[in-house]
Amino acid sequence: MGQLTKYQKWAFVLPLVAVLIWSLNIAVTRYVADYISPVSISFYRWLVAFLILTPFMLPKVWQQRTLIRPLLGKLAVLSAFGMVLYQGLSYTAAHYTTATNMGIVNAFVPVFTIFISYLILKDRPNRFAVLGSLLSFAGLIYVMSQGHISSLFAQGGHWGDAVMVLAVGFYAFYGVFLKKWQLQLPLMTSLYVQIAFALLYHLPFLLWFGLDHINAENAASVLYAGMFPSLIAPLLWMLAVQTIGPNRTSIFMNLMPVFTAIIASIWLAESWTIYHSIGGVMILVGIVMAQKKIVKASSRVLEPST
């Protein structure tokens, strides 16, 4: 891209705010874990987003129904991976680990994406991708083991981190399927239909686990999750992609562990330790290495649902 206009320079604020919103949502997820079940907040989150979007999107979806109908199966798969499995497992992980660890693990998405792209898209990683991925994985193990690798599988104390790793893996699948299918739909239409599927997917879980009531302790968290990380942040992110390009935009995701750690330290009184520093640096350096000379592999950055 050539020289940026004055408007495009201001557009760098967009992904910065989006990542800040998603980072705060990780802390919110950890905070509200004591006040509402994972399936309940996950359902309420998408219900709030659906109710906000419906007056604007339902008429458009009806007009575009012939365009949407043949894509329903793919939209259903995207919803299952990105909105139900990723989000549901993230809310579950929050019961067993810290927001700081969740933010660090979340930074691992690009590494998972590289190898899933190889499996599904036959997009062969270069040596930088392999070495960077190995370094990031070593950093992830270091954080999960709290600096003591021998204790990694002891007493099941790292269950929450493992669940978060699984969640991040599902989100990487979501991104790869987005790239593979290249759905010819307006982005907001795609998001709205995926949210509708997410609500349907939650029904059997609600019948099994029940639905917690919204009360004074969890209402603010539910509203925040349904509005800011579900709607406002993705909109800001997509505007940034259109204005400054996907590659410049994607760099800002590396700030999520930093923002999350700062917020968790101030709000949740979580401590940032030496193993967070060492492991976090290893992960971020590995991610930078992994993205070297593979810009085309991540050229489409759409619809994050962190």
Side-chain angles (χ1 to χ4, degrees):
M1 184 180 293
Q3 284 199 344
L4 297 172
T5 65
K6 185 176 181 180
Y7 170 73
Q8 287 174 318
K9 290 178 181 178
W10 274 105
F12 279 97
V13 175
L14 299 176
L16 191 67
V17 175
V19 171
L20 183 60
I21 289 172
W22 284 320
S23 300
L24 179 56
N25 188 57
I26 292 177
V28 168
T29 298
R30 179 65 190 91
Y31 166 79
V32 81
D34 296 328
Y35 302 109
I36 191 170
S37 69
V39 68
S40 294
I41 188 172
S42 183
F43 174 76
Y44 283 132
R45 169 182 178 164
W46 297 120
L47 179 62
V48 169
F50 184 79
L51 292 176
I52 292 172
L53 285 178
T54 292
F56 309 100
M57 293 305 306
L58 188 57
K60 294 182 180 179
V61 168
W62 178 252
Q63 293 172 359
Q64 298 166 351
R65 62 189 183 277
T66 55
L67 183 64
I68 295 171
R69 192 176 296 116
L71 302 176
L72 284 175
K74 293 177 179 178
L75 290 167
V77 171
L78 290 173
S79 175
F81 279 91
M83 295 182 177
V84 180
L85 292 170
Y86 170 69
Q87 296 296 340
L89 289 171
S90 296
Y91 286 123
T92 301
H95 285 261
Y96 305 100
T97 190
T98 64
T100 301
N101 278 25
M102 290 174 68
I104 290 175
V105 174
N106 213 77
F108 209 66
V109 169
V111 173
F112 274 145
T113 301
I114 288 170
F115 288 97
I116 294 172
S117 293
Y118 175 66
L119 293 174
I120 295 178
L121 305 178
K122 307 305 179 185
D123 192 356
R124 190 180 184 87
N126 60 29
R127 64 180 183 278
F128 293 108
V130 175
L131 292 174
S133 298
L134 291 174
L135 180 60
S136 286
F137 184 72
L140 180 64
I141 294 298
Y142 192 81
V143 171
M144 289 177 62
S145 65
Q146 300 180 4
H148 302 284
I149 306 298
S150 60
S151 69
L152 185 62
F153 300 104
Q155 302 175 349
H158 311 286
W159 168 248
D161 293 331
V163 172
M164 193 63 198
V165 169
L166 185 61
V168 165
F170 281 123
Y171 190 71
F173 271 104
Y174 174 82
V176 171
F177 282 133
L178 270 178
K179 178 177 175 59
K180 176 180 175 65
W181 290 330
Q182 301 279 319
L183 301 184
Q184 300 302 306
L185 274 180
L187 295 177
M188 292 307 295
T189 299
S190 175
L191 180 64
Y192 182 74
V193 176
Q194 288 180 56
I195 291 173
F197 273 116
L199 292 174
L200 293 175
Y201 287 139
H202 278 81
L203 294 181
F205 294 100
L206 294 176
L207 290 173
W208 183 263
F209 294 107
L211 181 65
D212 292 347
H213 296 295
I214 295 179
N215 54 43
E217 293 178 317
N218 60 38
S221 298
V222 168
L223 289 175
Y224 178 85
M227 294 174 59
F228 288 88
S230 302
L231 298 177
I232 295 175
L235 179 60
L236 294 175
W237 189 264
M238 288 184 285
L239 287 173
V241 169
Q242 293 173 357
T243 306
I244 64 176
N247 300 322
R248 284 192 174 110
T249 302
S250 64
I251 294 171
F252 285 85
M253 284 301 258
N254 292 337
L255 291 173
M256 188 176 291
V258 178
F259 285 168
T260 303
I262 293 172
I263 294 168
S265 175
I266 296 171
W267 181 23
L268 304 177
E270 292 183 5
S271 59
W272 181 270
T273 67
I274 186 64
Y275 68 80
H276 285 119
S277 298
I278 295 173
V281 168
M282 290 170 66
I283 290 172
L284 293 180
V285 170
I287 288 170
V288 172
M289 286 180 59
Q291 292 177 337
K292 187 176 178 61
K293 294 186 178 180
I294 57 164
V295 174
K296 292 182 180 180
S298 57
S299 60
R300 188 173 176 86
V301 185
L302 299 176
E303 304 176 33
S305 59
T306 301

